[in-house]
Amino acid sequence: MATTANRAEAQVGPGVGDFLNIDAHLSEEEIGVRERVRSFVKERVRPNIKEWYDEAVFPRGIVPEFADLGLLGMHLSGYGCAGRSAVEYGLACMELEAGDSGLRTFVSVQGSLAMSAIHKFGSEEQKQEWLPRMAKGEAIGCFGLTEPTAGSDPASMKTFARKEGSAWVLSGEKRWIGLATIADVAVVWARTDEEKNPVRGFLVPTDTEGFSARDITPKLSMRASIQCDVHLEDVRLPESAMLPEARGLGGPFACLNEARYGIIWGSMGAARDCYESALAYAKEREQFGRPIASFQLVQEKLANMLIEIGKGTLLALHIGRMKDAGTLRPEHISFGKLNNVREAIEIAREARTVFGGNGVTLDYPPMRHMSNLESVRTYEGTDEVHTLILGGAITGIPAFR
Ligand SMILES: Cc1cc2nc3c(=O)[nH]c(=O)nc-3n(C[C@H](O)[C@H](O)[C@H](O)COP(=O)(O)OP(=O)(O)OC[C@H]3O[C@@H](n4cnc5c(N)ncnc54)[C@H](O)[C@@H]3O)c2cc1C
């Protein structure tokens, strides 16, 4: 039987707070960034996300607000970007995804994929033309790598760019392209007939003749965000449309690594939201005459969630510090993405059970997060792809084929 002292200890326990005092490892500046995004999510996302998700709406009006917070191209320098550190960017992703993975995905596609492709590989003219407007949210970008028959194996892409005089002419299909129907510019990866490193990147203004996009619907995941099929039919571009510094698949992979890094943090944000909501519900909900939080089996679930969120957040911070120090390798990113998304899905599932029947409604967040995290597990490299990257790093033997 619980003593009065036990009960008192449980009541004053840290509960939802920073259990491991991870804040002690963050600077005031970093905590400031996190708190600004956390308040924004509380005021702008939490009151509306149920409706956006239910109606499968991406709230386009939120884009200038993301820009005002400095979230677009947040970790890039110059060209109107905020020039924040990797850890600050990660903390922002964590807070956004505690709101909804679809909104964090917007920031990832715009900043980590489209803007970072232009920033890393674009000409000075391309950077000047697009980056300042994209940082302000006045122009939206998308990133077209995946195709209907080329997902985990982008080297098998069929989209082709042929040279006609000084022009490039692109033809092909892309699938799952985030934001393509609302984008102003698409970063399109295509095969060329160059012998060495045939895959090259192109900036395609979406009003170019021959470019068309269609939303993929209905989806059971990421309902508050947009993914599209893209059709490229003889899209004629000037020579200057090619990203001059990207040669081969190393180009898109470098951008994917930026987005994968954000997911390491973001997934822990979604997990934290599941845990916090389950804890609050368990303290309120009574069965057998007592709050369900008083049952050992429920406490075990909460304790396991707390442990994995603590481990995953420390891992994200460690990887973020390595990124800022310039010592991060792609296999470290695979380690973080594989672990944190896998654990976040497990936490969302366990949190859902705490809500019983109410857990399958949109009134509570775990099942929404769970559905979103199924996409997060698949995009930016599936679990299997990251396992193989780690396996290759450990053994020195690539096992993709
Ligand atoms: C919500 C969402 C948003 C996305 N946004 C974008 C975007 O903005 N831009 C973009 O270009 N793409 C985007 N994608 C595409 C995403 O990157 C791909 O879905 C992903 O790479 C997997 O490709 P696929 O769906 O074709 O699956 P497949 O590659 O067909 O994989 C199917 C299964 O086979 C497994 N598999 C494949 N190869 C191996 C192997 N060698 N060994 C073991 N198992 C293997 C996979 O792990 C998976 O389980 C998005 C996808 C989703 C769902």
Side-chain angles (χ1 to χ4, degrees):
M1 201 175 134
T3 63
T4 312
N6 285 154
R7 279 199 299 273
E9 193 183 322
Q11 277 159 17
V12 298
V16 297
D18 179 15
F19 188 82
L20 292 176
N21 194 18
I22 295 174
D23 277 9
H25 300 283
L26 301 178
S27 68
E28 270 182 35
E29 187 76 8
E30 288 164 345
I31 291 174
V33 168
R34 182 191 64 196
E35 293 307 310
R36 278 196 292 283
V37 182
R38 188 175 284 187
S39 308
F40 172 78
V41 167
K42 189 172 165 207
E43 282 158 28
R44 283 290 285 124
V45 179
R46 290 195 190 284
N48 299 307
I49 187 60
K50 175 179 161 185
E51 198 181 316
W52 293 335
Y53 198 89
D54 191 30
E55 292 172 8
V57 166
F58 170 69
R60 211 180 153 163
I62 212 166
V63 175
E65 298 175 57
F66 284 157
D68 287 345
L69 278 168
L71 295 176
L72 306 180
M74 180 176 180
H75 59 308
L76 305 175
S77 315
Y79 308 97
C81 302
R84 292 287 183 174
S85 70
V87 168
E88 288 168 330
Y89 175 57
L91 288 162
C93 288
M94 189 175 199
E95 296 310 317
L96 280 175
E97 197 147 357
D100 191 75
S101 302
L103 299 178
R104 196 270 306 144
T105 295
F106 176 88
V107 167
S108 292
V109 170
Q110 175 86 346
S112 290
L113 294 178
M115 291 175 75
S116 97
I118 300 170
H119 197 272
K120 283 179 200 296
F121 305 119
S123 65
E124 189 53 36
E125 263 178 20
Q126 290 169 334
K127 292 179 196 181
Q128 295 288 357
E129 181 178 0
W130 291 108
L131 293 177
R133 283 199 286 147
M134 292 171 87
K136 284 192 203 137
E138 291 166 6
I140 291 177
C142 67
F143 183 90
L145 178 65
T146 306
E147 300 187 353
T149 57
S152 300
D153 180 20
S156 64
M157 74 170 63
K158 293 185 180 136
T159 298
F160 195 79
R162 67 175 192 275
K163 201 77 196 275
E164 275 189 18
S166 66
W168 286 103
V169 183
L170 269 61
S171 297
E173 306 286 338
K174 297 284 175 185
R175 180 156 171 82
W176 287 117
I177 309 311
L179 311 177
T181 46
I182 60 167
D184 301 283
V185 62
V187 176
V188 174
W189 300 96
R191 182 170 295 285
T192 63
D193 58 10
E194 285 179 23
E195 258 177 47
K196 213 174 147 201
N197 295 322
V199 172
R200 303 297 302 257
F202 297 87
L203 293 188
V204 183
T206 55
D207 58 4
T208 313
E209 204 181 327
F211 180 100
S212 59
R214 187 178 58 85
D215 288 351
I216 297 175
T217 57
K219 283 180 300 175
L220 296 172
S221 175
M222 293 284 183
R223 289 176 57 78
S225 81
I226 300 170
Q227 285 81 35
C228 315
D229 282 315
V230 169
H231 180 63
L232 300 150
E233 193 169 331
D234 290 331
V235 176
R236 185 169 287 273
L237 301 167
E239 198 163 29
S240 60
M242 181 187 263
L243 292 171
E245 305 301 331
R247 289 171 197 280
L249 280 173
F253 285 160
C255 306
L256 291 178
N257 272 332
E258 298 291 341
R260 289 167 176 174
Y261 165 75
I263 290 171
I264 298 172
W265 286 91
S267 53
M268 282 297 110
R272 191 192 70 211
D273 194 49
C274 293
Y275 162 74
E276 289 181 348
S277 58
L279 175 61
Y281 186 85
K283 285 175 158 176
E284 289 278 312
R285 173 77 174 172
E286 293 196 1
Q287 288 294 288
F288 299 96
R290 297 156 62 188
I292 60 171
S294 69
F295 301 128
Q296 290 183 1
L297 293 177
V298 174
Q299 290 194 2
E300 185 188 29
K301 290 178 187 181
L302 294 168
N304 286 337
M305 290 179 214
L306 180 73
I307 288 169
E308 291 307 329
I309 293 166
K311 283 155 66 177
T313 306
L314 284 171
L315 174 60
L317 180 58
H318 177 65
I319 286 178
R321 295 284 182 231
M322 289 173 87
K323 191 170 189 322
D324 280 328
T327 57
L328 193 67
R329 295 199 304 269
E331 56 266 32
H332 296 134
I333 295 180
S334 292
F335 184 119
K337 197 229 171 201
L338 178 60
N339 181 76
N340 283 11
V341 178
R342 189 158 66 187
E343 294 305 329
I345 289 181
E346 203 42 49
I347 287 165
R349 286 192 179 138
E350 280 295 273
R352 203 290 302 159
T353 69
V354 172
F355 289 88
N358 288 335
V360 308
T361 69
L362 265 176
D363 291 336
Y364 299 98
M367 196 144 169
R368 172 172 54 80
H369 284 306
M370 187 177 88
S371 298
N372 283 338
L373 287 164
E374 290 296 336
S375 285
V376 180
R377 159 179 255 176
T378 290
Y379 68 29
E380 313 295 351
T382 63
D383 281 8
E384 292 75 15
V385 162
H386 289 295
T387 303
L388 292 172
I389 292 173
L390 283 173
I394 297 163
T395 62
I397 308 169
F400 279 95
R401 291 170 200 283

